Amino acid sequence: MKPYQFILALLVGSFISCVTHSEQVKYKELSIVPKPIQLEQNQTPAFISKTTAIVFDANNNKLLQSAENFNSFLKKHYQFDLGLNIKSDHMVSLIIKKFSNEEEAYQLTTNERGIVITANSGKGVYHGIQTLKQLIYPAQTVINGKLKVPGVKISDAPAYSWRGLHLDVSRHFYDKAELMKILDGMAEAKMNIFHWHLTDDQGWRIEIKKYPLLTKIGAYRDSMIIGHMADYPSKHKIERYGGFYTQEDIKEVVTYADRLGIAVVPEIEMPGHAVAALQAYPQFSCKGEGVPAFSEWGVSEHVFCAGNDDTFTFLEDILSEVIELFPGQYIHVGGDECPKTKWESCPKCQARMKKYGLKDEMELQSYFIKRMEKFISSKGKRLIGWNEILEGGLAEGAMVMSWQGLAGGIEAANEGHDVIMSPNAEVYLDHYQSSYYEPLAIAGLTTPREIYEWSPMPEEISDESRKHVLGAQCNVWTEYITTSDHLEYMIFPRLIALAEMLWLGEDKKDFNDFTDRMNEMYARLDVLDIKYRIPYPENLLPYIIFTEQKVNLPLTNNIPSSTILYTLNGDDPLVNGITYISPLDIDLENNIELKTVTVMPSGRNSNVITTQLKYRQAQSAVSLNNSIEGLNYELFKGEFSSAKKIAGESSKAIIDGIRKPEDAPNTFFAVKYTGFVEVPEDGLYRFKLTANDGAILNIHNELVIDLDGFSYGKEAYGSMHLKKGLHPIKLDFFQAKYGSDIRLEANLHGSDKKIDLKYFH
Ligand code: ACM
Ligand code: ZN
């Protein structure tokens, strides 16, 4: 391959086909998500017409619900209103007949007389109906009064029984209509658990009749941090904000979810993340004094007092009402991120520790959760907690949700506890979805591919303990998600990737095949009016270096039903865009600004993305008479807000690479690194910069990556065409209030192998 073809292949990345616009929107048949475990296609399609009947055991309410669900789908899309349990030559038959021990399994077959769905349970039939709907929409249209269902024999069941989404409604509140929309989107992909994070420091969201102040006071705040929590100085907005669900709202959401095959798991946080509750009922804090509303993101040290028996009565009263509202098996009590500072100086907490021989505050936390576990199990329910409930000893019947990596889940599963994997790095949906062009997020980068390729079943779990890994869930924390549109953007399509991964398990999944089937899934999400993130070419970085002057550039988003519009002169593609048909022939004698946007059949468009296209011959290496290992660095102490504005007194020294110098403080400093980076061969190098907070990378005095501003560990990419040898490098980095991380990695385009970068001065 020529170098530029090579780059093009990279640009295309995993995408297998180019998107071309066609007058007729193209949808494939048999595009089912999650993909069924077994699907045999045959030549016996079924047909549905106005005289087709849906037949089932009328005494079974679950079957009636499935029949009604299918009928309203047909009405909405095809204006068919089928008779239920009437006589007809053509039937959709829903049958419960036990054929295996898998509760969610189903079989779907077509024949000349219609469609038969057989399942072990109502849940299985419901999954069969979901599959049937996807066999029809959006690929099929009514022809001569008939709707075709392709000839198939499907036998299907999920690999994992816990396929969940967690949503924090405390940091930002979403009303029940929005929740129902999210539930619709989950059901479209056969997700079955909605974990509803109802209480936290910044707002109490569930009505508790015995303690009305929880919502009267605890559901509202008057001031909140705006921008990123890492911004310095931080800014606050003075505004009354809040909301809550009445018990009637809760029942409506739970009933709605149940009809979609989704169980709702309530979370009532304890002993930490309790400020909103303590704002309303300060007597359950250690000091018993007024606790102000928490106007920050992050963790507050105001937690429930573990030494006061009244705290337990209060929480048990609350849980008693919660248990009445949620018919499912599980009650989540949080348990994460509980600072122990108040307990350390509280006479009641200390007396409790003494009385029960608890050796430290970790064991006091364990006492707290164990006591709640006894109460919850006495009510016939199972307690779930975040992995911190392992600290100080795990309660006997507790289930663990592992969020700080997988270690907690591995430990608990190997001890015989059921676990749900939900590791922060892999499946948190408050992370960025791409390194560029995204709205403000907390940190991190989590793409659909990463979620899809991840597995909740680590090797460290012994064979006999594997059954304890029930599945996984994506968690959505909403500090930076303020609107419903933004919420849907963060959840979809990443949640669909999780849904298929958990349905298919480790052996059957195939990300490229999944991506292909998303074309039809987007059409289904459009019907639900879900404002999913519309993909744009992931590989169009803010600027791209080419190793040839004349390039042939494909633009692809892998959504054949969409249109890509572009301009090459800086104009807005939504106004003056040219419809993309085939790869662009571009001469890069001068740099070109490419703007692209994806427009879906619904008319919705993606973000507009801007890419500078540049041709560069390989930069010659420089020779140094006397190269010494290590970079020069200058360390500045002070409050910086931009890597472009680092100035003041400094100290100078040598460092072996791009990392935080030993003599730097933990916060409020800046570093300028200068010297030479050595690359091992001629080639197009891709650099990845991770910085907390901001950094700017120049090579040969040319900007390679601009990752300036406050962040919480963002990453960004840039490329440079370099000859083997030494190249002048300059990296300016600043660190403000939180964290501290600076890393530079590199690989050759087309290879994942990390280059061992060496530095000289
Ligand atoms: C968590 O993310 N604090 C469970
Ligand atoms: Zn206390």
Side-chain angles (χ1 to χ4, degrees):
M1 249 197 276
K2 285 186 178 174
Y4 72 89
Q5 287 175 320
F6 184 58
I7 298 167
L8 296 183
L10 284 161
L11 280 166
V12 178
S14 64
F15 301 132
I16 25 189
S17 63
C18 289
V19 172
T20 54
H21 179 75
S22 57
E23 271 82 76
Q24 229 200 332
V25 170
K26 290 275 193 309
Y27 292 116
K28 289 184 307 291
E29 285 191 342
L30 303 180
S31 185
I32 300 166
V33 183
K35 190 178 178 128
I37 296 285
Q38 259 185 32
L39 184 153
E40 282 168 38
Q41 201 174 353
N42 61 46
Q43 300 312 313
T44 320
F47 291 92
I48 291 173
S49 70
K50 291 194 168 162
T51 58
T52 302
I54 311 179
V55 294
F56 54 96
D57 172 359
N59 295 320
N60 187 316
N61 195 40
K62 284 283 164 204
L63 294 183
L64 174 64
Q65 283 177 7
S66 280
E68 284 172 346
N69 179 309
F70 186 54
N71 217 2
S72 56
F73 159 85
L74 290 174
K75 258 186 243 172
K76 179 172 192 166
H77 292 286
Y78 303 103
Q79 291 79 50
F80 284 179
D81 187 1
L82 304 190
L84 306 185
N85 286 327
I86 56 166
K87 222 169 147 47
S88 170
D89 288 344
H90 272 83
M91 290 176 294
V92 178
S93 308
L94 313 180
I95 301 162
I96 294 182
K97 193 171 88 186
K98 197 158 167 66
F99 58 84
S100 77
N101 286 326
E102 298 161 296
E103 195 199 4
E104 297 187 80
Y106 72 93
Q107 293 170 343
L108 186 155
T109 51
T110 56
N111 61 41
E112 310 81 50
R113 295 203 50 213
I115 299 130
V116 182
I117 295 174
T118 311
N120 290 314
S121 70
K123 276 188 192 164
V125 171
Y126 180 73
H127 291 323
I129 290 288
Q130 290 299 87
T131 296
L132 176 59
K133 283 153 57 177
Q134 293 194 359
L135 280 167
I136 297 170
Y137 189 84
Q140 306 298 338
T141 50
V142 176
I143 298 170
N144 299 329
K146 284 175 161 180
L147 193 54
K148 188 178 100 176
V149 179
V152 288
K153 185 160 181 265
I154 292 173
S155 182
D156 201 11
Y160 290 98
S161 64
W162 189 289
R163 303 180 303 281
L165 171 70
H166 154 286
L167 178 64
D168 160 22
V169 293
S170 173
R171 276 53 178 265
H172 285 99
F173 179 69
Y174 297 95
D175 65 17
K176 65 184 174 199
E178 178 58 22
L179 300 186
M180 289 174 184
K181 205 168 162 193
I182 304 283
L183 289 164
D184 287 338
M186 290 172 67
E188 195 62 57
K190 301 189 175 85
M191 302 286 292
N192 64 350
I193 299 281
F194 176 57
H195 171 174
W196 202 354
H197 184 83
L198 285 160
T199 74
D200 211 305
D201 294 314
Q202 295 85 354
W204 184 280
R205 305 279 176 234
I206 174 172
E207 179 191 26
I208 300 296
K209 305 252 193 219
K210 188 155 185 185
Y211 299 105
L213 301 186
L214 283 171
T215 42
K216 189 157 183 237
I217 294 175
Y220 296 90
R221 58 196 192 220
D222 290 323
S223 156
M224 209 57 214
I225 191 166
I226 51 171
H228 198 281
M229 67 186 275
D231 291 356
Y232 186 82
S234 53
K235 293 180 273 305
H236 284 77
K237 182 157 75 170
I238 309 297
E239 179 191 75
R240 185 167 161 82
Y241 178 91
F244 66 92
Y245 310 99
T246 63
Q247 294 202 350
E248 286 311 305
D249 291 335
I250 300 267
K251 284 181 203 159
E252 261 183 71
V253 171
V254 169
T255 304
Y256 190 87
D258 180 62
R259 288 184 80 105
L260 299 175
I262 297 169
V264 184
V265 178
E267 180 180 351
I268 305 295
E269 272 268 18
M270 62 189 78
H273 288 289
V275 172
L278 297 175
Q279 201 185 321
Y281 293 96
Q283 60 268 43
F284 306 118
S285 68
C286 281
K287 285 209 162 147
E289 296 167 347
V291 177
F294 194 46
S295 60
E296 310 293 326
W297 305 134
V299 174
S300 165
E301 59 177 0
H302 291 288
V303 304
F304 288 119
C305 178
N308 181 354
D309 281 331
D310 293 346
T311 305
F312 291 92
T313 308
F314 171 67
L315 291 170
E316 286 171 10
D317 288 345
I318 290 170
L319 289 182
S320 295
E321 290 192 33
V322 170
I323 283 166
E324 286 301 310
L325 292 167
F326 293 88
Q329 284 183 68
Y330 307 104
I331 301 290
H332 200 304
V333 297
D336 60 321
E337 299 179 314
C338 178
K340 312 293 189 300
T341 45
K342 298 288 175 194
W343 291 357
E344 282 161 11
S345 59
C346 170
K348 285 179 278 191
C349 286
Q350 293 303 313
R352 169 98 64 207
M353 285 166 62
K354 209 160 157 208
K355 180 170 170 194
Y356 289 93
L358 307 173
K359 78 169 187 301
D360 57 17
E361 285 72 18
M362 292 294 192
E363 291 197 356
L364 183 58
Q365 169 171 300
S366 175
Y367 166 87
F368 198 115
I369 299 294
K370 283 177 178 163
R371 190 160 161 176
M372 296 318 298
E373 198 279 329
K374 278 208 184 74
F375 176 76
I376 287 169
S377 60
S378 77
K379 300 270 181 181
K381 303 278 177 174
R382 296 184 70 190
L383 176 143
I384 308 178
W386 299 108
N387 55 252
E388 287 95 324
I389 69 169
L390 281 150
E391 295 166 356
L394 190 53
E396 204 176 316
M399 283 169 63
V400 171
M401 201 169 258
S402 198
W403 75 278
Q404 289 163 313
L406 298 179
I410 294 168
E411 183 185 333
N414 284 338
E415 285 176 19
H417 293 260
D418 285 345
V419 304
I420 299 119
M421 297 298 198
S422 193
N424 181 342
E426 285 83 3
V427 292
Y428 268 35
L429 298 189
D430 53 348
H431 290 172
Y432 287 97
Q433 318 200 42
S434 157
S435 299
Y436 299 99
Y437 322 112
E438 295 294 322
L440 180 70
I442 185 164
L445 177 63
T446 297
T447 62
R449 177 191 282 273
E450 278 171 279
I451 293 175
Y452 195 91
E453 291 182 347
W454 173 73
S455 158
M457 189 67 81
E459 283 176 1
E460 295 89 331
I461 295 197
S462 62
D463 284 350
E464 61 275 22
S465 297
R466 291 168 80 84
K467 63 176 184 293
H468 291 302
V469 180
L470 304 189
Q473 66 180 36
C474 282
N475 296 344
V476 185
W477 302 97
T478 57
E479 288 92 335
Y480 300 97
I481 305 173
T482 59
T483 67
S484 296
D485 283 4
H486 189 186
L487 179 65
E488 293 161 24
Y489 180 96
M490 297 304 270
I491 295 176
F492 299 98
R494 290 187 289 188
L495 187 71
I496 310 290
L498 180 87
E500 175 154 311
M501 181 273 281
L502 291 172
W503 190 274
L504 290 180
E506 282 66 33
D507 304 333
K508 294 208 152 63
K509 63 187 179 180
D510 174 339
F511 185 73
N512 290 338
D513 183 61
F514 167 75
T515 306
D516 249 13
R517 280 176 286 111
M518 279 305 294
N519 183 54
E520 288 69 35
M521 204 59 177
Y522 287 125
R524 298 175 193 129
L525 295 177
D526 278 327
V527 172
L528 302 174
D529 193 31
I530 287 176
K531 307 289 195 303
Y532 54 86
R533 178 182 181 277
I534 299 172
Y536 42 81
E538 291 295 330
N539 295 308
L540 291 184
L541 304 177
Y543 76 95
I544 301 176
I545 301 279
F546 291 89
T547 60
E548 303 273 319
Q549 187 181 317
K550 290 195 172 15
V551 299
N552 184 254
L553 178 66
L555 303 178
T556 173
N557 57 14
N558 214 41
I559 314 174
S561 61
S562 75
T563 305
I564 295 178
L565 300 175
Y566 71 93
T567 59
L568 293 168
N569 60 2
D571 279 2
D572 181 351
L574 286 167
V575 181
N576 288 332
I578 303 163
T579 299
Y580 175 81
I581 293 169
S582 58
L584 311 178
D585 282 318
I586 296 176
D587 185 337
L588 292 172
E589 186 183 350
N590 298 309
N591 298 342
I592 283 184
E593 185 171 271
L594 167 70
K595 285 185 185 273
T596 59
V597 65
T598 300
V599 183
M600 299 302 286
S602 65
R604 279 184 66 225
N605 59 273
S606 70
N607 300 341
V608 171
I609 65 169
T610 303
T611 302
Q612 308 296 332
L613 307 177
K614 300 180 185 183
Y615 156 57
R616 288 284 180 279
Q617 288 172 314
Q619 291 273 10
S620 301
V622 298
S623 53
L624 296 179
N625 288 336
N626 181 21
S627 63
I628 307 170
E629 277 198 31
L631 287 169
N632 288 301
Y633 77 90
E634 252 186 290
L635 172 66
F636 303 75
K637 293 184 185 166
E639 295 173 7
F640 300 97
S641 58
S642 164
K644 295 186 190 77
K645 294 186 206 149
I646 301 172
E649 267 185 43
S650 65
S651 58
K652 295 183 179 154
I654 306 294
I655 190 164
D656 56 358
I658 306 282
R659 60 177 180 78
K660 185 182 157 202
E662 308 288 352
D663 54 339
N666 283 333
T667 53
F668 297 118
F669 68 93
V671 186
K672 284 174 176 256
Y673 305 83
T674 51
F676 300 86
V677 60
E678 186 183 56
V679 297
E681 57 184 289
D682 294 3
L684 186 66
Y685 286 85
R686 188 171 102 127
F687 292 92
K688 172 181 167 188
L689 181 62
T690 309
N692 180 3
D693 286 285
I696 294 176
L697 172 69
N698 283 274
I699 295 177
H700 285 283
N701 269 330
E702 190 169 331
L703 177 69
V704 180
I705 301 176
D706 185 342
L707 183 60
D708 204 2
F710 294 105
S711 82
Y712 204 45
K714 244 173 145 170
E715 42 189 68
Y717 298 86
S719 301
M720 204 68 189
H721 190 192
L722 301 171
K723 288 229 158 100
K724 173 178 164 54
L726 294 172
H727 299 271
I729 183 169
K730 191 158 110 45
L731 193 145
D732 294 351
F733 158 59
F734 82 96
Q735 162 56 41
K737 195 167 64 170
Y738 285 107
S740 113
D741 190 11
I742 179 73
R743 264 177 295 148
L744 182 65
E745 294 157 69
N747 57 282
L748 275 163
H749 268 267
S751 158
D752 287 338
K753 194 164 163 270
K754 260 191 220 162
I755 306 283
D756 185 19
L757 295 174
K758 290 209 168 57
Y759 297 97
F760 297 89
H761 66 280

